[in-house]
Coordinates of all heavy atoms in Angstrom, one line a residue:
M1 N 65.4 -39.4 -59.5 CA 64.8 -40.5 -58.8 C 65.7 -41.0 -57.8 O 66.9 -41.1 -58.0 CB 64.4 -41.6 -59.8 CG 63.7 -42.7 -59.2 SD 63.2 -43.9 -60.5 CE 61.6 -44.2 -59.9
A2 N 65.2 -41.3 -56.6 CA 66.0 -41.8 -55.5 C 66.5 -43.2 -55.7 O 65.9 -43.9 -56.5 CB 65.2 -41.7 -54.2
D3 N 67.7 -43.5 -55.2 CA 68.2 -44.8 -55.3 C 67.3 -45.8 -54.6 O 67.0 -45.7 -53.4 CB 69.6 -44.9 -54.7 CG 70.3 -46.3 -54.9 OD1 69.8 -47.1 -55.7 OD2 71.3 -46.5 -54.2
F4 N 66.8 -46.8 -55.4 CA 65.8 -47.8 -54.8 C 66.4 -48.6 -53.7 O 65.7 -48.8 -52.7 CB 65.4 -48.7 -56.0 CG 64.4 -49.8 -55.5 CD1 63.1 -49.5 -55.3 CD2 64.9 -51.1 -55.4 CE1 62.2 -50.5 -54.9 CE2 64.0 -52.1 -55.0 CZ 62.7 -51.8 -54.8
H5 N 67.6 -49.0 -53.7 CA 68.2 -49.9 -52.7 C 68.5 -49.1 -51.4 O 68.5 -49.7 -50.3 CB 69.5 -50.5 -53.2 CG 69.2 -51.5 -54.3 ND1 68.6 -52.7 -54.1 CD2 69.5 -51.4 -55.7 CE1 68.5 -53.3 -55.3 NE2 69.0 -52.6 -56.2
S6 N 68.8 -47.8 -51.5 CA 69.2 -47.1 -50.3 C 68.1 -47.0 -49.2 O 68.3 -47.0 -48.1 CB 69.6 -45.7 -50.6 OG 68.6 -44.9 -51.1
S7 N 66.8 -47.0 -49.7 CA 65.7 -47.0 -48.7 C 65.5 -48.3 -48.0 O 64.8 -48.3 -47.0 CB 64.4 -46.5 -49.4 OG 64.1 -47.5 -50.3
F8 N 66.1 -49.4 -48.5 CA 65.9 -50.7 -47.9 C 67.2 -51.2 -47.3 O 67.2 -52.4 -46.8 CB 65.4 -51.7 -49.0 CG 64.1 -51.4 -49.4 CD1 63.9 -50.8 -50.7 CD2 63.0 -51.7 -48.6 CE1 62.6 -50.5 -51.1 CE2 61.7 -51.4 -49.1 CZ 61.5 -50.8 -50.3
D9 N 68.2 -50.4 -47.2 CA 69.5 -50.9 -46.6 C 69.2 -51.1 -45.1 O 68.5 -50.4 -44.5 CB 70.6 -49.8 -46.8 CG 71.2 -49.9 -48.2 OD1 70.9 -50.8 -48.9 OD2 71.9 -48.9 -48.5
M10 N 69.9 -52.1 -44.6 CA 69.8 -52.4 -43.1 C 70.6 -51.4 -42.4 O 71.7 -51.1 -42.8 CB 70.3 -53.8 -42.8 CG 69.5 -54.9 -43.5 SD 67.8 -55.0 -42.9 CE 68.1 -55.5 -41.2
P11 N 70.1 -50.9 -41.3 CA 70.9 -50.0 -40.5 C 72.1 -50.7 -39.9 O 72.0 -51.9 -39.7 CB 69.9 -49.5 -39.4 CG 68.8 -50.5 -39.4 CD 68.8 -51.1 -40.7
S12 N 73.1 -50.0 -39.6 CA 74.3 -50.7 -39.0 C 73.9 -51.2 -37.6 O 73.0 -50.7 -37.0 CB 75.5 -49.7 -38.9 OG 75.1 -48.6 -38.1
T13 N 74.6 -52.3 -37.3 CA 74.2 -53.0 -36.0 C 74.6 -52.1 -34.8 O 75.7 -51.5 -34.8 CB 74.9 -54.3 -35.9 OG1 76.3 -54.2 -36.0 CG2 74.4 -55.3 -37.0
S14 N 73.8 -52.1 -33.8 CA 74.1 -51.3 -32.6 C 74.9 -52.1 -31.6 O 75.0 -53.3 -31.8 CB 72.8 -50.8 -32.0 OG 72.1 -51.9 -31.5
S15 N 75.4 -51.5 -30.6 CA 76.1 -52.2 -29.6 C 75.2 -53.2 -28.9 O 75.7 -54.3 -28.5 CB 76.8 -51.2 -28.6 OG 75.8 -50.5 -27.9
S16 N 74.0 -52.9 -28.7 CA 73.1 -53.8 -28.0 C 72.9 -55.1 -28.9 O 72.8 -56.2 -28.4 CB 71.7 -53.2 -27.7 OG 71.0 -52.8 -28.8
E17 N 72.8 -54.9 -30.2 CA 72.6 -56.0 -31.1 C 73.9 -56.9 -31.1 O 73.9 -58.1 -31.1 CB 72.3 -55.6 -32.5 CG 70.9 -55.1 -32.7 CD 70.7 -54.4 -34.0 OE1 71.7 -53.9 -34.7 OE2 69.5 -54.4 -34.5
N18 N 75.1 -56.2 -31.0 CA 76.3 -56.9 -30.9 C 76.4 -57.7 -29.6 O 76.9 -58.9 -29.6 CB 77.5 -56.0 -31.0 CG 77.7 -55.4 -32.4 OD1 77.2 -56.0 -33.4 ND2 78.4 -54.3 -32.5
A19 N 75.9 -57.1 -28.5 CA 75.9 -57.8 -27.2 C 75.0 -59.0 -27.3 O 75.3 -60.1 -26.7 CB 75.5 -56.8 -26.1
E20 N 73.8 -58.8 -27.9 CA 72.9 -60.0 -28.0 C 73.5 -61.1 -28.9 O 73.4 -62.3 -28.5 CB 71.6 -59.5 -28.7 CG 70.8 -58.6 -27.7 CD 69.5 -58.1 -28.4 OE1 69.2 -58.4 -29.6 OE2 68.8 -57.2 -27.8
A21 N 74.2 -60.7 -29.9 CA 74.8 -61.7 -30.8 C 75.9 -62.5 -30.0 O 76.1 -63.7 -30.1 CB 75.4 -61.1 -32.0
A22 N 76.7 -61.7 -29.2 CA 77.8 -62.4 -28.4 C 77.2 -63.3 -27.4 O 77.7 -64.4 -27.2 CB 78.6 -61.3 -27.8
E23 N 76.1 -62.9 -26.8 CA 75.4 -63.7 -25.8 C 74.8 -65.0 -26.4 O 74.9 -66.1 -25.9 CB 74.3 -62.9 -25.1 CG 73.5 -63.7 -24.1 CD 74.3 -64.2 -22.9 OE1 75.4 -63.8 -22.6 OE2 73.8 -65.1 -22.2
L24 N 74.3 -64.8 -27.6 CA 73.7 -66.0 -28.3 C 74.9 -66.9 -28.7 O 74.7 -68.2 -28.5 CB 73.0 -65.5 -29.6 CG 72.4 -66.6 -30.5 CD1 71.4 -67.4 -29.7 CD2 71.8 -66.0 -31.7
Q25 N 76.0 -66.4 -29.1 CA 77.2 -67.3 -29.4 C 77.6 -68.0 -28.1 O 78.0 -69.2 -28.2 CB 78.3 -66.5 -30.0 CG 78.1 -66.0 -31.4 CD 78.0 -67.1 -32.4 OE1 78.6 -68.2 -32.2 NE2 77.2 -66.9 -33.4
R26 N 77.6 -67.3 -27.0 CA 78.0 -68.0 -25.7 C 77.1 -69.1 -25.4 O 77.5 -70.2 -25.0 CB 78.1 -66.9 -24.6 CG 78.7 -67.5 -23.3 CD 78.5 -66.5 -22.1 NE 77.1 -66.5 -21.8 CZ 76.4 -67.4 -21.1 NH1 77.0 -68.5 -20.8 NH2 75.1 -67.3 -20.8
M27 N 75.8 -68.8 -25.5 CA 74.8 -69.8 -25.2 C 74.9 -71.0 -26.1 O 74.8 -72.2 -25.7 CB 73.4 -69.2 -25.3 CG 73.1 -68.2 -24.2 SD 71.5 -67.3 -24.3 CE 70.4 -68.5 -24.9
I28 N 75.2 -70.8 -27.4 CA 75.4 -71.9 -28.3 C 76.6 -72.7 -27.9 O 76.5 -74.0 -27.9 CB 75.5 -71.4 -29.8 CG1 74.1 -70.8 -30.3 CG2 76.0 -72.4 -30.7 CD1 74.2 -70.1 -31.6
A29 N 77.7 -72.1 -27.6 CA 78.9 -72.8 -27.1 C 78.6 -73.6 -25.9 O 79.1 -74.8 -25.8 CB 80.0 -71.8 -26.9
V30 N 77.9 -73.1 -25.0 CA 77.5 -73.8 -23.7 C 76.7 -75.1 -24.1 O 77.0 -76.2 -23.6 CB 76.8 -73.0 -22.7 CG1 76.1 -73.8 -21.6 CG2 77.7 -71.9 -22.1
E31 N 75.7 -74.9 -25.0 CA 74.9 -76.0 -25.4 C 75.7 -77.1 -26.2 O 75.5 -78.3 -26.0 CB 73.7 -75.6 -26.2 CG 72.7 -74.8 -25.4 CD 72.1 -75.6 -24.2 OE1 71.8 -76.8 -24.4 OE2 72.0 -75.0 -23.2
Q32 N 76.7 -76.6 -27.0 CA 77.5 -77.6 -27.7 C 78.4 -78.4 -26.7 O 78.6 -79.6 -26.9 CB 78.4 -76.8 -28.7 CG 77.7 -76.4 -29.9 CD 78.5 -75.5 -30.8 OE1 79.5 -74.8 -30.4 NE2 78.2 -75.5 -32.1
Q33 N 78.9 -77.7 -25.6 CA 79.7 -78.4 -24.6 C 78.8 -79.4 -23.9 O 79.3 -80.5 -23.6 CB 80.3 -77.4 -23.6 CG 81.4 -76.5 -24.2 CD 81.9 -75.5 -23.2 OE1 81.2 -75.1 -22.3 NE2 83.0 -74.9 -23.5
K34 N 77.6 -79.0 -23.6 CA 76.7 -80.0 -22.9 C 76.5 -81.2 -23.8 O 76.5 -82.4 -23.4 CB 75.3 -79.3 -22.6 CG 75.3 -78.4 -21.5 CD 73.9 -77.8 -21.3 CE 73.9 -76.7 -20.3 NZ 72.5 -76.1 -20.2
A35 N 76.3 -81.0 -25.1 CA 76.0 -82.1 -26.1 C 77.3 -83.0 -26.2 O 77.2 -84.2 -26.2 CB 75.6 -81.5 -27.4
Q36 N 78.4 -82.3 -26.2 CA 79.7 -83.1 -26.2 C 79.9 -84.0 -25.0 O 80.3 -85.1 -25.0 CB 80.9 -82.2 -26.4 CG 81.0 -81.6 -27.8 CD 82.1 -80.6 -27.9 OE1 82.6 -80.0 -26.9 NE2 82.5 -80.3 -29.1
F37 N 79.5 -83.4 -23.8 CA 79.6 -84.1 -22.6 C 78.7 -85.3 -22.6 O 79.0 -86.4 -22.2 CB 79.3 -83.2 -21.4 CG 79.3 -83.9 -20.1 CD1 80.5 -84.2 -19.4 CD2 78.1 -84.2 -19.4 CE1 80.5 -84.9 -18.2 CE2 78.1 -84.9 -18.2 CZ 79.3 -85.2 -17.6
Q38 N 77.4 -85.1 -23.0 CA 76.5 -86.2 -23.1 C 76.9 -87.3 -24.1 O 76.8 -88.5 -23.8 CB 75.1 -85.6 -23.5 CG 74.4 -84.8 -22.4 CD 73.1 -84.2 -22.8 OE1 72.9 -84.0 -24.0 NE2 72.3 -83.8 -21.9
A39 N 77.5 -86.9 -25.2 CA 78.0 -87.9 -26.1 C 79.1 -88.6 -25.5 O 79.2 -89.9 -25.7 CB 78.4 -87.2 -27.4
Q40 N 80.0 -88.0 -24.8 CA 81.1 -88.7 -24.1 C 80.6 -89.7 -23.1 O 81.1 -90.8 -23.0 CB 82.0 -87.6 -23.5 CG 83.4 -88.2 -23.0 CD 84.3 -88.5 -24.2 OE1 83.9 -88.7 -25.3 NE2 85.6 -88.5 -23.9
V41 N 79.6 -89.3 -22.3 CA 79.0 -90.2 -21.3 C 78.4 -91.4 -22.0 O 78.6 -92.5 -21.6 CB 78.0 -89.5 -20.4 CG1 77.2 -90.4 -19.6 CG2 78.7 -88.5 -19.5
H42 N 77.7 -91.1 -23.1 CA 77.1 -92.2 -23.9 C 78.2 -93.2 -24.4 O 78.1 -94.4 -24.3 CB 76.3 -91.7 -25.0 CG 75.6 -92.7 -25.9 ND1 74.5 -93.3 -25.4 CD2 75.9 -93.2 -27.1 CE1 74.1 -94.2 -26.4 NE2 74.9 -94.1 -27.4
N43 N 79.3 -92.6 -24.9 CA 80.4 -93.4 -25.4 C 81.0 -94.2 -24.2 O 81.3 -95.4 -24.4 CB 81.5 -92.5 -26.0 CG 82.5 -93.2 -26.7 OD1 82.3 -94.3 -27.3 ND2 83.7 -92.7 -26.7
F44 N 81.2 -93.6 -23.1 CA 81.7 -94.4 -21.9 C 80.8 -95.5 -21.6 O 81.3 -96.7 -21.3 CB 81.8 -93.5 -20.6 CG 82.8 -92.4 -20.7 CD1 82.7 -91.3 -19.8 CD2 83.9 -92.5 -21.5 CE1 83.7 -90.3 -19.8 CE2 84.9 -91.4 -21.5 CZ 84.7 -90.4 -20.7
T45 N 79.5 -95.3 -21.5 CA 78.6 -96.3 -21.2 C 78.6 -97.5 -22.1 O 78.7 -98.6 -21.7 CB 77.1 -95.7 -21.2 OG1 77.1 -94.6 -20.3 CG2 76.1 -96.7 -20.8
D46 N 78.6 -97.2 -23.4 CA 78.7 -98.2 -24.4 C 79.9 -99.1 -24.3 O 79.8 -100.3 -24.2 CB 78.6 -97.7 -25.8 CG 77.2 -97.2 -26.2 OD1 76.2 -97.6 -25.5 OD2 77.1 -96.5 -27.3
I47 N 81.0 -98.4 -24.3 CA 82.3 -99.2 -24.3 C 82.5 -99.9 -23.0 O 82.8 -101.1 -23.0 CB 83.5 -98.2 -24.5 CG1 83.4 -97.7 -26.0 CG2 84.8 -98.9 -24.3 CD1 84.4 -96.6 -26.3
C48 N 82.3 -99.3 -21.9 CA 82.5 -99.9 -20.6 C 81.5 -101.0 -20.3 O 81.8 -102.0 -19.7 CB 82.5 -98.9 -19.4 SG 83.9 -97.7 -19.6
W49 N 80.2 -100.8 -20.7 CA 79.2 -101.8 -20.6 C 79.6 -103.1 -21.3 O 79.6 -104.2 -20.8 CB 77.9 -101.3 -21.1 CG 76.8 -102.3 -21.0 CD1 76.4 -103.3 -21.9 CD2 75.9 -102.5 -19.8 NE1 75.3 -104.0 -21.4 CE2 75.0 -103.6 -20.2 CE3 75.8 -101.9 -18.6 CZ2 74.0 -104.0 -19.3 CZ3 74.8 -102.3 -17.7 CH2 73.9 -103.3 -18.1
D50 N 80.1 -102.9 -22.6 CA 80.5 -104.1 -23.4 C 81.7 -104.7 -22.8 O 81.8 -106.0 -22.8 CB 80.8 -103.6 -24.8 CG 79.5 -103.2 -25.6 OD1 78.4 -103.6 -25.1 OD2 79.7 -102.5 -26.6
K51 N 82.6 -104.0 -22.2 CA 83.8 -104.5 -21.7 C 83.6 -105.2 -20.3 O 84.2 -106.3 -20.1 CB 84.8 -103.4 -21.4 CG 86.1 -103.8 -20.8 CD 87.1 -102.6 -20.7 CE 88.3 -102.9 -20.0 NZ 88.9 -104.2 -19.9
C52 N 82.7 -104.7 -19.5 CA 82.6 -105.2 -18.1 C 81.4 -106.1 -17.8 O 81.4 -106.8 -16.8 CB 82.5 -104.0 -17.2 SG 84.0 -102.9 -17.2
M53 N 80.3 -106.0 -18.6 CA 79.1 -106.7 -18.3 C 79.1 -108.1 -18.9 O 79.1 -108.2 -20.2 CB 77.9 -106.0 -18.7 CG 77.6 -104.7 -17.9 SD 77.4 -105.1 -16.1 CE 75.8 -105.9 -16.1
D54 N 79.2 -109.1 -18.1 CA 79.1 -110.5 -18.7 C 77.6 -110.8 -19.0 O 77.3 -111.1 -20.1 CB 79.6 -111.5 -17.7 CG 81.1 -111.4 -17.5 OD1 81.8 -110.9 -18.5 OD2 81.6 -111.6 -16.4
K55 N 76.8 -110.7 -18.0 CA 75.4 -110.9 -18.2 C 74.6 -110.0 -17.2 O 75.0 -109.9 -16.0 CB 75.0 -112.3 -18.0 CG 75.4 -112.9 -16.7 CD 75.0 -114.4 -16.6 CE 75.6 -114.9 -15.3 NZ 75.4 -116.3 -15.2
P56 N 73.7 -109.2 -17.7 CA 72.9 -108.3 -16.8 C 72.2 -109.1 -15.7 O 71.7 -110.2 -16.0 CB 72.0 -107.6 -17.8 CG 72.5 -107.8 -19.1 CD 73.3 -109.1 -19.1
S57 N 72.1 -108.5 -14.6 CA 71.4 -109.0 -13.5 C 70.8 -107.9 -12.7 O 71.0 -106.7 -13.0 CB 72.3 -109.9 -12.6 OG 73.3 -109.1 -12.0
S58 N 70.1 -108.2 -11.6 CA 69.4 -107.2 -10.8 C 70.4 -106.4 -10.0 O 70.0 -105.3 -9.5 CB 68.3 -107.8 -10.0 OG 68.9 -108.7 -9.0
K59 N 71.6 -106.9 -9.7 CA 72.6 -106.2 -8.9 C 73.9 -106.3 -9.6 O 74.2 -107.3 -10.3 CB 72.7 -106.8 -7.5 CG 71.6 -106.5 -6.6 CD 71.9 -107.1 -5.2 CE 71.9 -106.1 -4.2 NZ 72.1 -106.6 -2.8
L60 N 74.8 -105.3 -9.3 CA 76.2 -105.4 -9.8 C 77.0 -106.1 -8.8 O 77.0 -105.8 -7.6 CB 76.7 -104.0 -10.0 CG 76.2 -103.1 -11.1 CD1 76.9 -101.7 -11.1 CD2 76.5 -103.8 -12.5
D61 N 77.8 -107.0 -9.3 CA 78.7 -107.6 -8.3 C 80.0 -106.7 -8.2 O 80.1 -105.8 -9.0 CB 79.1 -109.1 -8.7 CG 79.8 -109.2 -10.1 OD1 80.3 -108.1 -10.6 OD2 79.8 -110.3 -10.7
S62 N 80.8 -107.0 -7.2 CA 81.9 -106.1 -7.0 C 82.9 -106.1 -8.1 O 83.5 -105.0 -8.4 CB 82.6 -106.4 -5.6 OG 83.1 -107.7 -5.7
R63 N 83.1 -107.2 -8.8 CA 84.0 -107.2 -9.9 C 83.5 -106.4 -11.0 O 84.3 -105.6 -11.6 CB 84.2 -108.7 -10.4 CG 85.2 -108.8 -11.5 CD 85.3 -110.2 -12.0 NE 84.2 -110.6 -12.9 CZ 83.9 -110.1 -14.1 NH1 84.6 -109.0 -14.5 NH2 83.0 -110.6 -14.8
T64 N 82.3 -106.4 -11.3 CA 81.7 -105.6 -12.4 C 81.7 -104.2 -12.1 O 82.1 -103.3 -12.9 CB 80.3 -106.1 -12.7 OG1 80.3 -107.5 -13.0 CG2 79.7 -105.3 -13.9
E65 N 81.4 -103.8 -10.8 CA 81.4 -102.4 -10.4 C 82.8 -101.9 -10.5 O 83.0 -100.8 -11.0 CB 80.9 -102.3 -9.0 CG 80.8 -100.9 -8.5 CD 80.2 -100.7 -7.2 OE1 79.8 -101.7 -6.6 OE2 80.2 -99.6 -6.7
T66 N 83.8 -102.6 -10.0 CA 85.2 -102.2 -10.1 C 85.7 -102.0 -11.5 O 86.3 -101.0 -11.9 CB 86.1 -103.2 -9.4 OG1 85.7 -103.3 -8.0 CG2 87.6 -102.8 -9.5
C67 N 85.3 -102.9 -12.4 CA 85.6 -102.8 -13.8 C 85.0 -101.6 -14.4 O 85.7 -100.8 -15.1 CB 85.1 -104.1 -14.6 SG 85.4 -104.0 -16.3
L68 N 83.7 -101.3 -14.2 CA 83.1 -100.1 -14.7 C 83.7 -98.8 -14.2 O 84.0 -97.9 -15.0 CB 81.6 -100.1 -14.3 CG 80.7 -101.1 -15.1 CD1 79.3 -101.2 -14.4 CD2 80.6 -100.8 -16.5
V69 N 84.0 -98.8 -12.9 CA 84.7 -97.6 -12.4 C 86.1 -97.4 -13.0 O 86.4 -96.3 -13.5 CB 84.8 -97.6 -10.8 CG1 85.7 -96.6 -10.3 CG2 83.4 -97.6 -10.2
S70 N 86.8 -98.4 -13.1 CA 88.2 -98.3 -13.7 C 88.1 -97.9 -15.2 O 88.9 -97.1 -15.6 CB 88.9 -99.7 -13.6 OG 89.1 -100.0 -12.2
C71 N 87.2 -98.5 -15.9 CA 87.0 -98.2 -17.3 C 86.7 -96.7 -17.5 O 87.4 -96.0 -18.3 CB 85.9 -99.1 -17.9 SG 85.6 -98.8 -19.6
V72 N 85.7 -96.2 -16.8 CA 85.4 -94.8 -16.9 C 86.5 -93.9 -16.5 O 86.8 -92.9 -17.2 CB 84.1 -94.5 -16.1 CG1 83.8 -93.0 -16.1 CG2 82.9 -95.2 -16.8
E73 N 87.2 -94.2 -15.4 CA 88.3 -93.4 -14.9 C 89.4 -93.4 -16.0 O 90.1 -92.3 -16.2 CB 88.9 -93.9 -13.6 CG 87.9 -93.6 -12.5 CD 88.4 -94.1 -11.1 OE1 89.3 -95.0 -11.1 OE2 87.8 -93.8 -10.1
R74 N 89.7 -94.5 -16.7 CA 90.7 -94.5 -17.7 C 90.3 -93.6 -18.9 O 91.2 -92.8 -19.4 CB 90.9 -95.9 -18.3 CG 91.8 -96.7 -17.4 CD 92.3 -98.0 -18.1 NE 91.3 -98.8 -18.8 CZ 90.6 -99.7 -18.2 NH1 90.7 -100.0 -16.9 NH2 89.6 -100.3 -18.9
F75 N 89.0 -93.6 -19.2 CA 88.6 -92.7 -20.3 C 88.7 -91.2 -19.9 O 89.1 -90.4 -20.7 CB 87.1 -93.0 -20.7 CG 87.1 -94.1 -21.8 CD1 86.7 -95.4 -21.4 CD2 87.3 -93.8 -23.1 CE1 86.6 -96.4 -22.3 CE2 87.3 -94.8 -24.0 CZ 86.9 -96.1 -23.7
I76 N 88.3 -90.9 -18.7 CA 88.4 -89.6 -18.2 C 89.9 -89.1 -18.2 O 90.2 -88.0 -18.7 CB 87.8 -89.4 -16.8 CG1 86.3 -89.6 -16.9 CG2 88.1 -88.0 -16.2 CD1 85.5 -89.7 -15.6
D77 N 90.8 -89.9 -17.6 CA 92.2 -89.6 -17.6 C 92.8 -89.4 -19.0 O 93.5 -88.4 -19.2 CB 93.0 -90.7 -16.9 CG 92.7 -90.7 -15.4 OD1 92.2 -89.7 -14.8 OD2 93.1 -91.7 -14.7
T78 N 92.4 -90.3 -19.9 CA 92.9 -90.1 -21.3 C 92.4 -88.9 -21.9 O 93.1 -88.1 -22.6 CB 92.4 -91.4 -22.1 OG1 93.0 -92.6 -21.5 CG2 92.9 -91.3 -23.5
T79 N 91.1 -88.6 -21.7 CA 90.5 -87.4 -22.3 C 91.2 -86.1 -21.8 O 91.5 -85.2 -22.5 CB 89.0 -87.3 -22.0 OG1 88.4 -88.5 -22.6 CG2 88.3 -86.1 -22.6
L80 N 91.4 -86.1 -20.5 CA 92.1 -84.9 -19.9 C 93.5 -84.8 -20.4 O 94.0 -83.7 -20.7 CB 92.1 -85.1 -18.3 CG 90.8 -84.8 -17.7 CD1 90.9 -85.1 -16.2 CD2 90.2 -83.4 -17.9
T81 N 94.2 -85.9 -20.5 CA 95.6 -85.9 -21.0 C 95.6 -85.3 -22.5 O 96.4 -84.4 -22.8 CB 96.2 -87.3 -21.0 OG1 96.2 -87.7 -19.6 CG2 97.6 -87.3 -21.5
I82 N 94.7 -85.8 -23.3 CA 94.7 -85.3 -24.7 C 94.3 -83.9 -24.7 O 94.9 -83.1 -25.5 CB 93.7 -86.2 -25.5 CG1 94.3 -87.6 -25.7 CG2 93.4 -85.6 -26.8 CD1 93.3 -88.6 -26.2
T83 N 93.3 -83.5 -23.9 CA 92.9 -82.1 -23.9 C 94.0 -81.2 -23.5 O 94.3 -80.1 -24.1 CB 91.7 -81.9 -23.0 OG1 90.6 -82.8 -23.4 CG2 91.2 -80.5 -22.9
N84 N 94.7 -81.6 -22.4 CA 95.8 -80.7 -21.9 C 96.9 -80.7 -23.0 O 97.5 -79.6 -23.2 CB 96.4 -81.3 -20.6 CG 95.4 -81.1 -19.5 OD1 94.6 -80.2 -19.5 ND2 95.5 -81.9 -18.4
R85 N 97.2 -81.7 -23.7 CA 98.3 -81.7 -24.7 C 97.9 -80.8 -25.8 O 98.7 -80.0 -26.3 CB 98.5 -83.2 -25.2 CG 99.6 -83.2 -26.2 CD 100.9 -82.9 -25.6 NE 101.9 -83.0 -26.7 CZ 102.9 -82.2 -26.9 NH1 103.0 -81.1 -26.1 NH2 103.8 -82.3 -27.8
F86 N 96.6 -80.9 -26.3 CA 96.2 -80.0 -27.3 C 96.3 -78.5 -26.9 O 96.6 -77.6 -27.7 CB 94.8 -80.3 -27.8 CG 94.7 -81.5 -28.8 CD1 93.7 -82.4 -28.6 CD2 95.6 -81.6 -29.8 CE1 93.6 -83.5 -29.5 CE2 95.5 -82.7 -30.7 CZ 94.5 -83.6 -30.5
T87 N 95.9 -78.3 -25.7 CA 96.0 -76.9 -25.1 C 97.4 -76.4 -25.2 O 97.7 -75.3 -25.5 CB 95.4 -76.8 -23.7 OG1 94.1 -77.3 -23.7 CG2 95.5 -75.4 -23.1
Q88 N 98.4 -77.3 -24.8 CA 99.8 -76.9 -24.8 C 100.2 -76.6 -26.2 O 100.9 -75.6 -26.5 CB 100.6 -78.0 -24.2 CG 100.5 -78.2 -22.7 CD 101.2 -79.4 -22.2 OE1 101.7 -80.2 -23.0 NE2 101.2 -79.6 -20.9
L89 N 99.8 -77.4 -27.2 CA 100.2 -77.2 -28.6 C 99.6 -75.9 -29.1 O 100.3 -75.2 -29.8 CB 99.7 -78.4 -29.4 CG 100.4 -79.7 -29.2 CD1 99.8 -80.9 -30.0 CD2 101.9 -79.6 -29.5
V90 N 98.4 -75.6 -28.8 CA 97.8 -74.4 -29.2 C 98.5 -73.2 -28.6 O 98.8 -72.2 -29.3 CB 96.3 -74.4 -28.9 CG1 95.7 -73.0 -29.1 CG2 95.5 -75.4 -29.7
Q91 N 98.8 -73.3 -27.3 CA 99.5 -72.2 -26.7 C 100.9 -72.0 -27.3 O 101.3 -70.8 -27.5 CB 99.6 -72.4 -25.2 CG 98.3 -72.2 -24.5 CD 98.3 -72.6 -23.0 OE1 99.3 -73.2 -22.5 NE2 97.3 -72.3 -22.3
K92 N 101.6 -73.0 -27.6 CA 102.9 -72.9 -28.2 C 102.8 -72.3 -29.6 O 103.6 -71.6 -30.0 CB 103.6 -74.3 -28.3 CG 104.2 -74.8 -27.0 CD 104.9 -76.1 -27.1 CE 105.3 -76.6 -25.8 NZ 106.0 -77.9 -25.9
G93 N 101.8 -72.7 -30.3 CA 101.5 -72.2 -31.7 C 101.2 -70.8 -31.7 O 101.4 -70.1 -32.7
A94 N 100.6 -70.3 -30.6 CA 100.1 -68.9 -30.6 C 101.3 -67.9 -30.3 O 101.2 -66.7 -30.5 CB 99.1 -68.7 -29.5
H95 N 102.4 -68.4 -29.8 CA 103.5 -67.6 -29.5 C 104.5 -67.4 -30.7 O 104.6 -68.0 -31.6 CB 104.3 -68.1 -28.3 CG 103.5 -68.1 -27.1 ND1 103.0 -67.0 -26.5 CD2 103.2 -69.1 -26.3 CE1 102.4 -67.3 -25.4 NE2 102.4 -68.6 -25.2

């Protein structure tokens, strides 16, 4: 009698399936980066709004606008600094 499981074994993956899997992983990574970016923007908005907005009105006054711009720039600078530092640590650890 033939081995029951051998007739149902999955064939080995082909190079086209590997390429499709790699492309899917790349697309997932891109979507995760987009989601992280959107979360960061949401975080900036929440924190800077609370810090800079005294009372909402139909227009931003120059003080509020300057505060918002400075607040977001500080977050961006901090994020870049931290990212660059982690990159340096990872590169040093890889050697």
Side-chain angles (χ1 to χ4, degrees):
M1 181 175 225
D3 183 13
F4 177 76
H5 294 291
S6 66
S7 63
F8 292 104
D9 285 345
M10 296 295 292
S12 60
T13 57
S14 68
S15 62
S16 66
E17 288 172 333
N18 288 339
E20 287 174 7
E23 177 64 14
L24 180 60
Q25 288 295 331
R26 188 194 67 75
M27 289 172 41
I28 290 170
V30 167
E31 291 303 315
Q32 286 174 333
Q33 288 174 343
K34 286 180 187 178
Q36 288 173 342
F37 177 77
Q38 289 174 337
Q40 191 74 334
V41 168
H42 182 74
N43 191 31
F44 292 160
T45 302
D46 283 348
I47 292 170
C48 294
W49 180 270
D50 291 343
K51 177 178 174 26
C52 298
M53 290 301 292
D54 294 327
K55 56 184 175 184
S57 65
S58 61
K59 282 183 129 179
L60 288 179
D61 61 19
S62 62
R63 184 185 75 63
T64 303
E65 184 176 357
T66 301
C67 180
L68 288 169
V69 169
S70 295
C71 181
V72 171
E73 286 176 351
R74 279 195 312 273
F75 274 102
I76 291 170
D77 290 343
T78 302
T79 301
L80 289 174
T81 300
I82 292 169
T83 301
N84 289 337
R85 182 67 179 135
F86 280 138
T87 301
Q88 290 172 354
L89 292 172
V90 168
Q91 288 173 349
K92 284 181 183 179
H95 295 299

